[in-house]
């Protein structure tokens, strides 16, 4: 058994797109989300621990939807105090347009993050070589 203190902590590893099993190597081929066409390109398996990364089915879809909704809510948190929201004018419409633009810009990151959350949910720390996600 691994002692918990030896584990690199989960949240920073997840945010920096590290392997869910060893938390050392990166999951995605490109560090940056550019070029956008390849922003979801993942390594076949982790080069440090051999954890399988590839999943042909897009399992991050549902999580991506949830993250998008969270982002809309976060936008509301700053938009409301800064610009104000009222049902009497078009401010709700402006909020929706602003949020949609922000969500679209953030989408490559959200897609990556939802993949990461999915991997972290199904691959625990130290589960290397256990094939959990079949492709
Ligand atoms: Zn690994």
């Amino acid at each position: 058994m691994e002692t918990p203190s030896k584990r690199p902590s989960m949240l920073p590893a997840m945010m920096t797109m590290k392997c869910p099993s060893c938390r050392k190597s990166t999951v995605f081929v490109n560090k940056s989300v550019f070029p956008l066409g390849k922003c979801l390109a993942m390594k076949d398996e982790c080069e440090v621990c051999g954890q399988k990364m590839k999943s042909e089915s897009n399992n991050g879809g549902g999580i991506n939807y949830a993250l998008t909704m969270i982002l809309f809510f976060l936008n509301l948190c700053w938009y409301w105090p800064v610009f104000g929201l009222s049902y009497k004018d078009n401010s709700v419409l402006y909020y929706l347009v602003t949020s949609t633009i922000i969500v679209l810009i953030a989408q490559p990151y959200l897609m990556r993050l939802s993949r990461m959350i999915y991997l972290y949910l199904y691959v625990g720390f130290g589960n290397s070589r256990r094939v959990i996600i079949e492709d």
Side-chain angles (χ1 to χ4, degrees):
M1 286 293 282
E2 293 277 341
T3 51
S5 59
K6 274 187 175 176
R7 297 183 176 195
S9 43
M10 180 171 166
L11 208 59
M14 193 159 78
M15 299 309 280
T16 49
M17 316 289 169
K18 290 287 197 299
C19 166
S21 185
C22 64
R23 294 172 192 170
K24 279 174 189 147
S25 173
T26 51
V27 167
F28 294 99
V29 176
N30 298 316
K31 264 206 167 137
S32 154
V33 292
F34 300 104
L36 284 178
K38 287 188 174 167
C39 81
L40 285 177
M42 297 167 98
K43 292 170 186 169
D44 288 322
E45 53 186 49
C46 174
E47 58 217 12
V48 176
C49 68
Q51 172 65 48
K52 278 221 171 196
M53 304 284 192
K54 271 264 170 73
S55 164
E56 290 304 315
S57 52
N58 189 357
N59 298 300
I63 301 166
N64 185 240
Y65 178 76
L67 286 179
T68 303
M69 288 301 119
I70 291 168
L71 195 57
F72 264 99
F73 177 74
L74 288 177
N75 284 331
L76 186 66
C77 291
W78 66 261
Y79 193 94
W80 201 337
V82 172
F83 295 104
L85 278 175
S86 165
Y87 60 90
K88 291 180 194 138
D89 52 28
N90 288 331
S91 56
V92 175
L93 186 71
Y94 294 143
Y95 155 71
L96 285 176
V97 171
T98 309
S99 289
T100 306
I101 292 167
I102 290 170
V103 164
L104 282 177
I105 292 168
Q107 203 52 226
Y109 300 96
L110 290 183
M111 282 158 77
R112 276 192 164 196
L113 197 58
S114 37
R115 286 283 174 100
M116 291 309 296
I117 292 171
Y118 178 80
L119 274 173
Y120 273 77
L121 283 176
Y122 287 90
V123 183
F125 181 82
N127 273 341
S128 53
R129 303 211 175 272
R130 219 170 95 190
V131 181
I132 290 165
I133 303 161
E134 297 279 356
D135 52 6

